[in-house]
Amino acid sequence: MSTIFNIIYVNCKPMVKLDQINISNDGLTKFFSPIEAAILRALWSGGEMTTSELTEKTNIPLTSVAGTLDRLVKAGYTTRRMENVNGRVRYVYEPAFSEEEAATEITTKILDSLVDAFGPLARENFSKYSDKK
Amino acid sequence: MTLSAEIKCIGVCLKLSDFAPFIALLVVISISLLAASLMLKKPKRKLVTFVSAQILSLVAIAATFYLMNCGEMLTLYVCLAYVIISTVLIFGVLRYYDRILIKRLDAKPAGGVMEWMEDFVGKLVTARVYYFDSAIPRAFAAGRSIFVSIGLLEMLDENELKAVLAHEAWHIRQNTQMPYLKRLALMTFSSSSESELEYKADRFAAEIAGSNALSSARNKVDKVFI
């Protein structure tokens, strides 16, 4: 049930907002905030993770990460569930989409915007670019 | 009828009646009480003066209403509506604030995940404990409910949680001892003794859960207790 919900949720929410794209930034921070990028990278490499595992891996203190985690869940980038172990409660986080899915969506979005701006000229450059590689 | 004409009309009607000095006196007293409530520093006096001003203006409006012979009385209706609405707000709506919060936060009873919390709070005060979905460690009390975020539950150990719950339970005890005064304090912006309340709540929490648990909870999450 939860996976069905996630799929619907992810499908109706864009992974990346176009107005957040900033090509002068480094790496993933072109598309996400630095903390968001660190969390997503950790989740993509580690799969399911608890809050303490996340803070350890990203090396960002919980006080700065907590608000971002709430935002990532609300925006549909990650999903989380509450686990109850030995009378203790904890969150387990999961990426809502894989790195490949994110790459596909971001690439499509940017190519779309290039075609929108330059039309056939953009297409010509795409083929030149793929020939060069 | 324009506003100034209406006020003039009210003035004429009052002049014709024998009660004009009486109502003028009421209005003067209630305005000076309102001014006093803005000037006074002590929360309790501030509240008493504010409430008396409110009641006196209600009496003045009712008396004017009774004496009036003019046709439309828009000004009076507006005054009456203000007094009634503010009184209802003070004594009615805010009483159900925790119900609104439960809906808005989609909070669930904490008994479902950590049974001991409800028992622990139950010994201190008649209140329910709810948890809500947020990674930011937070705890606060409203009405007869204590709210804790999942982020707080996963961060603190049992003793630290007890300190937080005792702190919030003290707030609820305080709220139920003088609920209307507290609400009026909110309305008149006179809750200047905030830090004093927090200090007392902390003292109570240290008594119940031990000062070590309280200070380690404080160290882990600064600015959590509201």
Side-chain angles (χ1 to χ4, degrees):
Chain A
M1 187 59 208
S2 75
T3 45
I4 295 170
F5 177 71
N6 288 344
I7 290 163
I8 296 168
Y9 198 60
V10 169
N11 283 348
C12 65
K13 284 235 175 184
M15 294 174 199
V16 180
K17 292 193 188 99
L18 270 174
D19 55 12
Q20 279 176 356
I21 295 177
N22 190 344
I23 52 170
S24 56
N25 285 358
D26 285 333
L28 271 182
T29 55
K30 285 179 181 31
F31 318 108
F32 304 99
S33 81
I35 296 179
E36 283 172 0
I39 292 168
L40 283 174
R41 226 178 277 127
L43 286 174
W44 282 334
S45 65
E48 285 192 355
M49 280 182 145
T50 62
T51 315
S52 54
E53 284 167 350
L54 264 175
T55 52
E56 229 169 77
K57 191 148 186 187
T58 55
N59 224 351
I60 305 170
L62 181 66
T63 41
S64 4
V65 119
T68 312
L69 285 172
D70 276 2
R71 233 176 319 119
L72 282 172
V73 170
K74 212 176 161 201
Y77 293 168
T78 64
T79 57
R80 68 180 168 203
R81 59 172 197 275
M82 195 185 69
E83 255 185 19
N84 202 340
V85 190
N86 305 327
R88 304 263 323 143
V89 169
R90 66 176 188 193
Y91 273 131
V92 179
Y93 289 88
E94 246 183 289
F97 48 85
S98 67
E99 193 169 359
E100 291 79 38
E101 287 171 314
T104 308
E105 168 155 342
I106 293 169
T107 311
T108 314
K109 262 199 179 143
I110 291 177
L111 294 187
D112 279 349
S113 71
L114 289 174
V115 171
D116 182 53
F118 302 113
L121 281 175
R123 285 174 208 282
E124 224 170 87
N125 278 296
F126 295 162
S127 58
K128 266 190 213 162
Y129 185 81
S130 52
D131 288 346
K132 218 167 44 179
K133 287 275 141 153
Chain B
M1 201 188 287
T2 61
L3 193 68
S4 57
E6 201 177 319
I7 291 171
K8 228 178 253 169
C9 162
I10 293 174
V12 171
C13 285
L14 284 178
K15 243 183 230 161
L16 292 175
S17 72
D18 299 331
F19 292 94
F22 169 67
I23 285 171
L25 190 68
L26 274 180
V27 170
V28 166
I29 293 175
S30 105
I31 288 175
S32 49
L33 276 174
L34 203 62
S37 86
L38 287 175
M39 310 249 279
L40 282 171
K41 287 280 175 289
K42 274 208 163 180
K44 238 184 195 159
R45 283 186 199 156
K46 219 175 160 94
L47 290 177
V48 171
T49 47
F50 179 78
V51 173
S52 332
Q54 195 86 342
I55 290 169
L56 279 181
S57 52
L58 190 62
V59 171
I61 289 169
T64 320
F65 224 85
Y66 179 72
L67 299 169
M68 286 292 289
N69 288 313
C70 299
E72 287 165 51
M73 298 185 283
L74 183 70
T75 320
L76 273 184
Y77 283 128
V78 170
C79 285
L80 196 65
Y82 163 74
V83 176
I84 289 173
I85 287 171
S86 58
T87 311
V88 166
L89 264 181
I90 294 169
F91 295 105
V93 172
L94 287 172
R95 182 179 183 158
Y96 299 101
Y97 191 54
D98 54 341
R99 303 285 116 195
I100 297 167
L101 274 178
I102 289 169
K103 274 224 179 106
R104 202 199 297 158
L105 295 169
D106 191 25
K108 296 181 181 66
V113 285
M114 292 163 113
E115 295 83 11
W116 65 266
M117 290 206 297
E118 295 242 284
D119 300 337
F120 175 77
V121 169
K123 278 181 207 141
L124 302 174
V125 70
T126 342
R128 301 213 59 191
V129 186
Y130 295 89
Y131 71 90
F132 61 96
D133 185 28
S134 170
I136 303 168
R138 271 189 303 168
F140 52 89
R144 286 196 158 273
S145 307
I146 295 175
F147 296 87
V148 289
S149 68
I150 296 176
L152 187 86
L153 295 179
E154 70 173 353
M155 180 186 268
L156 301 184
D157 67 31
E158 192 169 322
N159 282 328
E160 292 160 346
L161 271 177
K162 276 182 180 166
V164 174
L165 289 174
H167 176 108
E168 300 304 334
W170 187 88
H171 277 308
I172 289 185
R173 238 190 223 183
Q174 194 68 12
N175 284 351
T176 47
Q177 271 168 12
M178 35 179 250
Y180 297 126
L181 281 180
K182 180 98 189 189
R183 259 160 240 157
L184 281 166
L186 266 175
M187 282 205 57
T188 52
F189 307 105
S190 62
S191 47
S192 59
S193 56
E194 190 89 342
S195 59
E196 193 190 319
L197 284 176
E198 294 304 314
Y199 172 72
K200 281 182 179 165
D202 267 6
R203 229 175 33 192
F204 179 75
E207 243 170 67
I208 299 289
S211 50
N212 284 342
L214 177 73
S215 56
S216 73
R218 268 234 182 276
N219 282 337
K220 276 194 187 171
V221 270
D222 217 13
K223 276 272 176 197
V224 176
F225 312 89
I226 299 169

